């Protein structure tokens, strides 16, 4: 007798169980410590027109869920309506946010470890785990960013992009909108990491409670804030947006040697625009008329 198709609740429970277990570890020298808090999970239909829109906005190279699925299962040709993108948000812990909020130029150790160990062992581990548990349940799934064909790409419009964007998948799954610094503002804030898998199962999509990709950002929705501009140690942010080249040069050229010298592992980290800002821990309320202050 074939296994029943996984439900949204079943998938969410599997993700939550992984994050509640020992694999969610920051690898701090003092012993085990959670890398991230409880996850948010959302679902997006593989047939959503947004995936085609991304090709126009990001680049033709950006995969639809069907294209990503075919990379993992050559020869398979499901209808896009048979596919669902499962996306999750892994919020930084209060301890990590507190440490990093106090920094002005170089990353806090917890922040750097969340960026490197948190991504490698926790987020990648969760992607692999979900593909495995779904396979055991008789359901095909792929983690797009773990596919050998996945790569970062040059983008005429956005400078740097990739064949599959985890933040764009989260936006499609109703989990958040983009801020001035290009970070995703979610119900648990902008201080987080994201992941996803494409599943061959037609699951109910999560409603997107927004109508604009910038809806949660105070800079765009009310002309206020701009705190992320003040937080950036390398002036990669301005009212005109995010200078990705300047940002990358700082992360790789400045924070990488700092992390090696002070924390003794190969890594890097910045993310100053994600803490010490109104959207650090949630969706900031819009100011009432007369309460706002012009953005920096």
């Amino acid at each position: 007798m074939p296994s029943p198709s996984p439900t949204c609740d079943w998938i969410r429970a599997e993700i939550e169980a992984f994050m509640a277990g020992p694999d969610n570890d920051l690898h701090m020298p003092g012993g085990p410590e959670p890398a991230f808090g409880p996850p948010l999970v959302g679902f997006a239909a593989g047939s959503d027109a947004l995936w085609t829109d991304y090709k126009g906005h990001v680049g033709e190279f950006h995969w639809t869920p069907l294209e990503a699925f075919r990379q993992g299962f050559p020869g398979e040709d499901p209808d896009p309506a048979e596919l669902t993108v499962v996306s999750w948000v892994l919020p930084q812990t209060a301890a990590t946010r507190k440490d990093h909020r106090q920094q002005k130029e170089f990353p806090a150790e917890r922040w750097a470890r969340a960026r490197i160990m948190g991504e490698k062992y926790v987020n990648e581990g969760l992607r692999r785990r979900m593909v495995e548990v779904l396979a055991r349940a008789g359901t095909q799934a792929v983690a797009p960013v773990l596919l050998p064909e996945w790569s970062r790409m040059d983008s005429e419009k956005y400078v740097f992009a990739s064949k599959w964007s985890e933040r764009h998948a989260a936006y499609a799954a109703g989990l958040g909108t983009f801020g001035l610094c290009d970070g995703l503002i979610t119900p648990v804030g902008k201080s987080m990491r994201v992941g996803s898998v494409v599943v061959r199962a037609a699951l109910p999509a999560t409603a997107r409670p927004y109508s604009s990709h910038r809806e949660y950002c105070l800079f765009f929705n009310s002309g206020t804030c701009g705190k992320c501009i003040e937080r950036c140690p390398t002036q990669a942010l301005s009212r005109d947006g995010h200078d990705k080249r300047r940002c990358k040069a700082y992360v790789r050229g400045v924070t990488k040697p700092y992390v090696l010298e002070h924390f003794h592992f190969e890594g890097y980290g910045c993310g100053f625009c994600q803490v010490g800002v109104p959207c650090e821990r949630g969706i900031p309320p819009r100011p009432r008329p007369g309460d706002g202050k012009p953005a920096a």
Side-chain angles (χ1 to χ4, degrees):
M1 182 176 180
S3 301
S5 297
T7 65
C8 292
D9 287 343
W10 182 89
I11 289 173
R12 185 178 290 107
E14 288 289 338
I15 293 171
E16 291 173 348
F18 178 90
M19 293 305 297
D23 291 304
N24 180 17
D25 186 10
L26 201 54
H27 293 262
M28 288 291 286
E33 177 181 329
F36 303 105
L40 293 182
V41 183
F43 303 84
S47 57
D48 195 314
L50 196 56
W51 304 112
T52 303
D53 291 344
Y54 285 163
K55 285 186 171 293
H57 291 296
V58 181
E60 281 295 321
F61 53 79
H62 192 277
W63 290 334
T64 64
L66 178 59
E67 289 169 334
F69 184 86
R70 284 172 174 167
Q71 297 294 334
F73 294 95
E76 296 282 336
D77 191 28
D79 188 288
E82 296 177 52
L83 303 176
T84 301
V85 176
V86 181
S87 177
W88 55 79
V89 170
L90 307 181
Q92 301 279 9
T93 65
T96 296
R97 288 187 283 100
K98 178 181 177 182
D99 286 358
H100 200 50
R101 198 183 307 125
Q102 295 169 350
Q103 300 298 112
K104 303 296 183 183
E105 186 176 2
F106 300 109
E109 182 173 3
R110 282 189 172 88
W111 188 271
R113 287 183 178 274
R115 174 62 186 87
I116 303 303
M117 286 74 162
E119 181 61 27
K120 181 177 181 180
Y121 299 114
V122 186
N123 206 6
E124 286 191 13
L126 178 53
R127 293 182 182 104
R128 296 183 195 280
R129 176 69 61 84
M130 292 310 300
V131 170
E132 291 170 2
V133 297
L134 284 160
R136 289 201 297 269
T139 300
Q140 295 171 318
V142 297
V145 302
L146 297 185
L147 292 168
E149 297 81 6
W150 180 87
S151 64
R152 293 179 174 85
M153 304 289 289
D154 292 330
S155 169
E156 182 177 346
K157 187 174 182 180
Y158 295 107
V159 184
F160 304 130
S162 67
K163 292 182 178 179
W164 181 264
S165 166
E166 297 287 34
R167 283 175 295 167
H168 283 73
Y171 173 82
L175 294 177
T177 74
F178 295 88
L180 178 65
C181 72
D182 291 335
L184 195 75
I185 301 171
T186 78
V188 292
K190 187 168 61 176
S191 181
M192 54 85 207
R193 298 198 65 76
V194 283
S196 66
V197 293
V198 179
V199 180
R200 189 169 187 173
L203 301 171
T206 305
R208 288 194 286 270
Y210 35 77
S211 57
S212 164
H213 72 291
R214 299 288 200 183
E215 190 165 317
Y216 294 160
C217 179
L218 293 176
F219 182 89
F220 291 105
N221 68 34
S222 57
T224 61
C225 193
K227 292 296 183 182
C228 58
I229 298 174
E230 301 171 15
R231 285 286 293 168
C232 182
T234 191
Q235 298 179 324
L237 295 176
S238 70
R239 292 174 61 88
D240 296 325
H242 180 199
D243 185 333
K244 291 186 178 181
R245 291 189 178 90
R246 183 184 287 270
C247 181
K248 181 179 179 180
Y250 182 80
V251 170
R252 301 289 181 163
V254 177
T255 74
K256 188 173 182 179
Y258 178 87
V259 167
L260 181 60
E261 179 182 354
H262 290 81
F263 308 141
H264 312 296
F265 67 90
E266 291 281 350
Y268 51 86
C270 186
F272 288 96
C273 55
Q274 297 178 26
V275 294
V277 292
C279 51
E280 175 186 323
R281 292 184 294 170
I283 301 167
R286 298 189 189 193
R288 293 173 297 180
D291 290 348
K293 185 173 68 174

